[in-house]
Amino acid sequence: MNPVDPFDLPDWLGTSEITWCAGGLERGGHHLRGELQAERGTVACDLLAIDQAWPTAVAQNALREEVHQQWRLGEVVLVEVDDRLTALVPGSSFSAARVLSVLERVARAVGARPAHFVAAIRLGSLRED
């Protein structure tokens, strides 16, 4: 996981209307893939709950402590994982309320008004069972 400076991200993230579109849960519900979309472009943006510990720990203790500390300060830690922007979040799973809270913090991190961000979460699966 490589740290990401929000000021190194495209400037349109802070000035455009942004829709975060969830792509689906992976690895037991603690990794939510998604994209930040606007008229000017798209940036991959995943959400990763770092307290997931089984079958292996998602993050080292020092990183987990930093994520929890930043969260208590109203901020979010942004990193790059597999060439994808990833917001690290305390916990081991996601609720709709948690997703909205993460996106509010991402918006503030890139200098945007949270009201300019919209979350699109698909209900159910894209696969036909």
Side-chain angles (χ1 to χ4, degrees):
M1 295 184 194
N2 299 316
V4 171
D5 184 337
F7 295 108
D8 291 336
L9 296 170
D11 63 345
W12 53 262
L13 288 172
T15 60
S16 302
E17 293 289 324
I18 304 293
T19 300
W20 180 80
C21 295
L25 286 172
E26 292 184 6
R27 294 186 242 156
H30 67 279
H31 183 194
L32 187 54
R33 293 178 64 87
E35 293 183 331
L36 297 170
Q37 300 175 350
E39 287 183 14
R40 295 177 60 189
T42 300
V43 172
C45 182
D46 298 348
L47 312 183
L48 182 61
I50 54 101
D51 290 327
Q52 180 71 23
W54 189 88
T56 59
V58 171
Q60 300 284 336
N61 283 342
L63 179 58
R64 289 181 55 237
E65 288 174 11
E66 178 186 353
V67 169
H68 280 268
Q69 180 181 28
Q70 294 303 315
W71 191 264
R72 288 192 62 143
L73 295 172
E75 298 180 9
V76 67
V77 173
L78 299 175
V79 297
E80 184 179 73
V81 178
D82 298 329
D83 295 325
R84 297 177 63 86
L85 176 65
T86 304
L88 302 182
V89 181
S92 58
S93 63
F94 290 96
S95 65
R98 175 56 58 109
V99 169
L100 294 176
S101 183
V102 175
L103 294 176
E104 178 181 5
R105 293 161 193 253
V106 169
R108 287 196 317 261
V110 299
R113 293 182 56 219
H116 289 180
F117 274 55
V118 172
I121 302 172
R122 185 175 302 279
L123 302 176
S125 171
L126 292 175
R127 296 190 323 238
E128 292 193 30
D129 297 51

